[in-house]
Amino acid sequence: MTDTQRAVSCGNCSVRRLCLPAGLSQGDIDKLEQITRKKKIVKSGESLFRTGDPFANLYAIRSGSFKSAVIAADGDTQVTHFALPGELLGLDAYSGRVHPSYAEALEDSSVCVLPFSQLETLAQQVPALQQQIYSIFSEELKQENDILMLLGKRSADTRLAALLINISSRYARRGYSASRFVLSMPRTDIANYLGLTAETVSRLFSRFQKEKLIRASGRDVEILDLIGLSEVAGTHCGYEGEG
Amino acid sequence: MTDTQRAVSCGNCSVRRLCLPAGLSQGDIDKLEQITRKKKIVKSGESLFRTGDPFANLYAIRSGSFKSAVIAADGDTQVTHFALPGELLGLDAYSGRVHPSYAEALEDSSVCVLPFSQLETLAQQVPALQQQIYSIFSEELKQENDILMLLGKRSADTRLAALLINISSRYARRGYSASRFVLSMPRTDIANYLGLTAETVSRLFSRFQKEKLIRASGRDVEILDLIGLSEVAGTHCGYEGEG
DNA sequence: ATTTTTGCTTGATTCAGATCAATAACTGCC
DNA sequence: GGCAGTTATTGATCTGAATCAAGCAAAAAT
């Protein structure tokens, strides 16, 4: 076994506790690794899959980050998700056998390729894996509901504050600083995701800085006052999400 | 076997093609029925489950309709879903072992009670059932993405038009008229779901009537001009959803 | 049958965030 | 290092939907 292949194993993956192997025995992880031999590099701005692509694989993010988005009939797009290491992409493609959304790397990223038919077969034999798949689906649904709340009822400042706290706590889970991080997405993507315009997002960044809630320079963000920011977000953690 | 029990069988259920049994062989459906012995009646306004209830069952709607909603830290609620016969409720509770949302009957309704641990075990033995569960999860995610588009970028009239078309096509799938139906939810719920106020929704109903797109009297709705309504919705079917 | 409640509609006014517009800063890239 | 093309900030203005405020209809309660 070469070093390159070793690098793909779950055992030495920094996000194994957040990803599919979570809760599996070593023996089951070995089986999972056997169907996850391929790794894929996706450069910043490139697509992992596009809307309409046939569904064959799920993708587990190893490193980097992605946005996923849907495209309406009129060509308009809506960013639906910012995905970080350990998260799965492509789950919404199962029922239609085609990807209804697309995923694009926000920075140079790498993913594990999971052929779904094989994963399905393995899950049939490994209850813990099946449970983990249900769990990931379910968690995803739960989070979407929280975003619906954000878009349905919340003011612009609340939305941005909630996003910053959410991203912060997700980075923290992955072993990075919760208070200082680099946003991998442009303002336009943040705005689109939050149902706002880039101008409004920019103004809010300025306002949050004036209010000493954050310090921001471009995509570099430092949270100075988590309590204050949480008050703006109207909650005590992300949008009740992961954290 | 009594008549009451017979009534619970999938075989004579009008929505079996949309529900869990879809795609299963008769033998597999029999097995499914064995774990689905209980049926539950939920009266209008009553809860099927509440936020925070421990997760034990999934519920398949036999008749009637439900709204599900999440409650924010400040007590504010967001309606996340209107569920019709054949649809499953409770999927978002799996990962946390607790219901993160609640489900309330919009009219007198009945559901099949599916103990999840037994369903899980059965799915392990019946690949077609496992696939159907994945499919339902996946479909749900897909639809949430379409709602995100609606809430993120669309104007009030577009949102309501899309909802009307979506509900119409879902009724049609269940064998009811696509052009004439009774909304089971009050205006406030429609407004909340669409991220609007009840006043705005009411004004839009009036406007759509003036424009001869619909005829509405309270919750009784008739679609007069599907093409016109689709133009307002900016799409050719529901929010790209089920239809 | 009459009061109370709940749900729906309509009008007047306000405001948060969009839109339009102009710079400014940053990122490659010759 | 300088130029072209993004990406971000800031300002002025506008507008769609919220909010505030009645009034009305239908259903539930007395």
Side-chain angles (χ1 to χ4, degrees):
Chain A
M1 220 186 243
T2 73
D3 268 70
T4 322
Q5 280 172 315
R6 271 247 209 80
V8 193
S9 79
C10 299
N12 65 11
C13 180
S14 63
V15 289
R16 61 186 177 282
R17 281 177 203 82
L18 302 169
C19 190
L20 267 182
L24 300 203
S25 69
Q26 189 51 54
D28 290 340
I29 293 180
D30 291 346
K31 289 182 201 159
L32 181 60
E33 281 179 4
Q34 272 165 38
I35 65 166
T36 318
R37 287 219 210 77
K38 267 194 296 182
K39 169 167 130 170
K40 195 173 170 179
I41 302 287
V42 189
K43 293 228 187 77
S44 180
E46 284 180 357
S47 296
L48 179 57
F49 50 81
R50 288 170 215 269
T51 302
D53 279 0
F55 171 67
N57 307 304
L58 248 34
Y59 301 92
I61 306 174
R62 284 211 129 222
S63 66
S65 55
F66 289 81
K67 69 170 172 185
S68 51
V70 289
I71 306 177
D74 62 3
D76 202 10
T77 75
Q78 170 72 39
V79 175
T80 55
H81 207 69
F82 294 122
L84 298 184
E87 295 173 347
L88 252 46
L89 289 166
L91 289 168
D92 56 353
Y94 183 87
S95 72
R97 299 283 131 186
V98 145
H99 287 281
S101 57
Y102 70 87
E104 188 182 305
L106 291 165
E107 60 195 301
D108 291 355
S109 303
S110 86
V111 298
C112 295
V113 179
L114 302 152
F116 196 81
S117 60
Q118 287 174 254
L119 189 65
E120 209 170 10
T121 308
L122 185 60
Q124 205 77 39
Q125 293 147 22
V126 180
L129 178 61
Q130 197 197 38
Q131 286 163 19
Q132 180 63 4
I133 293 172
Y134 290 150
S135 192
I136 288 168
F137 264 118
S138 176
E139 189 64 35
E140 199 93 346
L141 282 177
K142 196 159 68 173
Q143 275 178 241
E144 298 257 306
N145 284 345
D146 292 329
I147 300 164
L148 283 186
M149 164 75 81
L150 221 55
L151 295 192
K153 305 193 100 70
R154 302 313 194 181
S155 58
D157 55 357
T158 298
R159 295 183 201 193
L160 183 62
L163 177 66
L164 290 174
I165 293 172
N166 177 265
I167 286 179
S168 154
S169 68
R170 285 159 74 195
Y171 274 125
R173 273 205 153 197
R174 283 155 185 80
Y176 299 105
S177 166
S179 60
R180 216 165 182 295
F181 49 88
V182 177
L183 295 168
S184 56
M185 70 293 284
R187 297 281 189 271
T188 49
D189 284 345
I190 293 178
N192 184 301
Y193 176 71
L194 295 176
L196 303 169
T197 57
E199 292 93 324
T200 297
V201 169
S202 186
R203 277 183 248 274
L204 287 170
F205 266 96
S206 303
R207 200 192 96 190
F208 286 176
Q209 279 196 91
K210 220 180 308 177
E211 297 172 349
K212 303 269 187 267
L213 297 172
I214 64 170
R215 196 202 53 71
S217 151
R219 300 186 185 180
D220 213 336
V221 174
E222 184 175 4
I223 293 180
L224 299 175
D225 178 3
L226 183 60
I227 311 286
L229 201 61
S230 301
E231 272 161 19
V232 176
T235 166
H236 300 287
C237 48
Y239 15 91
E240 346 270 280
E242 273 198 312
Chain B
M1 218 186 244
T2 73
D3 268 71
T4 323
Q5 280 172 316
R6 272 247 209 78
V8 192
S9 79
C10 298
N12 65 12
C13 181
S14 65
V15 289
R16 61 185 177 281
R17 281 178 203 81
L18 303 168
C19 190
L20 269 181
L24 301 202
S25 69
Q26 189 52 52
D28 290 340
I29 293 180
D30 291 345
K31 290 182 199 157
L32 181 61
E33 282 179 5
Q34 272 165 37
I35 66 166
T36 319
R37 287 219 210 78
K38 269 194 296 183
K39 170 168 129 171
K40 195 173 170 178
I41 302 287
V42 188
K43 293 226 188 79
S44 180
E46 283 179 359
S47 295
L48 179 58
F49 50 81
R50 288 168 214 271
T51 303
D53 280 0
F55 172 67
N57 306 305
L58 247 35
Y59 300 93
I61 306 175
R62 284 211 129 220
S63 66
S65 56
F66 289 80
K67 69 170 171 184
S68 51
V70 289
I71 306 177
D74 62 3
D76 203 9
T77 75
Q78 169 72 39
V79 174
T80 55
H81 207 69
F82 294 122
L84 298 185
E87 294 173 348
L88 252 45
L89 289 166
L91 288 166
D92 55 353
Y94 183 86
S95 72
R97 298 284 131 185
V98 145
H99 287 282
S101 56
Y102 70 87
E104 188 182 305
L106 290 166
E107 60 195 301
D108 292 354
S109 303
S110 86
V111 298
C112 295
V113 180
L114 303 153
F116 196 80
S117 60
Q118 287 174 252
L119 190 65
E120 209 171 8
T121 307
L122 185 61
Q124 205 78 38
Q125 294 148 23
V126 180
L129 178 60
Q130 196 196 38
Q131 285 163 19
Q132 180 64 5
I133 294 172
Y134 290 150
S135 192
I136 289 169
F137 264 118
S138 176
E139 189 64 35
E140 200 94 343
L141 282 177
K142 196 159 67 174
Q143 275 179 241
E144 298 258 304
N145 284 346
D146 292 329
I147 300 164
L148 283 186
M149 165 75 80
L150 221 54
L151 294 192
K153 305 195 100 70
R154 302 314 194 181
S155 59
D157 55 356
T158 298
R159 294 183 202 194
L160 183 61
L163 177 65
L164 290 174
I165 293 171
N166 176 267
I167 287 180
S168 153
S169 68
R170 284 159 75 194
Y171 275 125
R173 272 204 153 198
R174 283 156 184 82
Y176 299 106
S177 166
S179 60
R180 216 165 181 294
F181 48 88
V182 177
L183 295 169
S184 56
M185 69 294 285
R187 298 281 189 272
T188 49
D189 284 345
I190 293 177
N192 183 303
Y193 176 71
L194 296 176
L196 303 169
T197 57
E199 292 94 323
T200 298
V201 169
S202 185
R203 277 183 247 274
L204 287 170
F205 267 96
S206 303
R207 200 192 95 193
F208 286 176
Q209 278 196 90
K210 219 179 311 177
E211 297 172 350
K212 303 267 186 270
L213 297 171
I214 63 170
R215 195 201 54 71
S217 150
R219 300 187 184 179
D220 213 336
V221 175
E222 185 175 4
I223 294 181
L224 299 174
D225 178 4
L226 183 61
I227 311 287
L229 201 61
S230 301
E231 272 161 20
V232 176
T235 164
H236 300 288
C237 49
Y239 15 91
E240 347 271 277
E242 274 200 310

